[in-house]
Amino acid sequence: MEVTYYLPEILFGVLGLAAVIWAVALVTDLIRGKYGETSCIHCRGKAVKEGYGPCLFLLPLHFGETYEDSEEYLRTHMKPIYSKEQIPTGMRACWLEVYRCERCDKQQVKITDFLDVRGEESIKKTCVFPYETFRPLVEQWREDAAAGSQVKTAVKGIHGQADSHITRRGGY
């Protein structure tokens, strides 16, 4: 018999194997997400958080607004802030966490876009991107946070608008 006679069975077997591999990867990602871990976008290995805490950034978006190209939009519109009190009412913000893969040692960032509603974070979107794209933002955030010489605070004004004030650490 020829190989073409068994071609449907071969194709069905290959597709079945691909579906099983995909399902295992999906379940692994779900389990890792439950325990605060993530999968590497380069090799699908286990990526763990770097030793420092997440960076907080303000997004120029309100409650119902959306954006298309997530990587480009976030890279160009994220503004560093250092506490949730600096988020004006109705504006969105995002947490940026840096992860490193245990297998290939590459870094990536996990960005969680949220809206702060009465102290609760209503998550709008979570994205994972290569670290190199967001390196300048992370380094700027770390330098400003480490220096601590000027900290911007938002003071709620009339009708939920925020006024920014810069105070020196230890000052009034």
Side-chain angles (χ1 to χ4, degrees):
M1 298 203 158
E2 293 183 26
V3 173
T4 56
Y5 179 77
Y6 294 106
L7 191 57
E9 287 84 3
I10 293 171
L11 289 175
F12 183 74
V14 168
L15 290 175
L17 182 62
V20 167
I21 291 171
W22 178 82
V24 168
L26 178 66
V27 169
T28 303
D29 284 346
L30 291 173
I31 291 171
R32 286 182 179 162
K34 183 178 179 182
Y35 294 108
E37 302 167 349
T38 189
S39 294
C40 178
I41 59 175
H42 305 286
C43 73
R44 306 303 299 167
K46 179 181 172 185
V48 294
K49 282 185 194 177
E50 294 273 308
Y52 46 85
C55 306
L56 183 60
F57 292 89
L58 183 64
L59 294 173
L61 293 170
H62 289 88
F63 174 68
E65 298 176 341
T66 61
Y67 48 90
E68 291 300 317
D69 183 12
S70 297
E71 185 173 8
E72 181 63 23
Y73 181 84
L74 292 171
R75 184 183 63 76
T76 57
H77 289 84
M78 291 170 39
K79 302 294 179 216
I81 57 176
Y82 303 97
S83 72
K84 287 177 75 174
E85 288 78 32
Q86 292 179 279
I87 304 172
T89 304
M91 295 289 290
R92 291 183 15 207
C94 62
W95 292 108
L96 183 146
E97 299 171 304
V98 180
Y99 287 80
R100 182 177 298 277
C101 179
E102 292 180 342
R103 187 184 303 166
C104 69
D105 204 42
K106 291 185 179 177
Q107 290 179 303
Q108 63 190 27
V109 295
K110 178 180 174 184
I111 300 175
T112 305
D113 176 358
F114 69 92
L115 177 67
D116 193 29
V117 180
R118 295 183 191 101
E120 298 288 323
E121 293 179 5
S122 173
I123 296 175
K124 299 297 180 187
K125 186 186 279 191
T126 300
C127 306
V128 179
F129 302 111
Y131 175 73
E132 291 304 317
T133 307
F134 292 90
R135 174 181 281 200
L137 284 169
V138 173
E139 290 175 355
Q140 176 191 358
W141 192 93
R142 285 188 196 151
E143 288 172 8
D144 292 347
S149 61
Q150 290 188 341
V151 179
K152 270 192 167 181
T153 58
V155 178
K156 302 235 175 160
I158 301 171
H159 303 296
Q161 297 175 351
D163 300 319
S164 291
H165 298 284
I166 297 177
T167 56
R168 297 207 178 273
R169 181 166 279 187
Y172 297 99

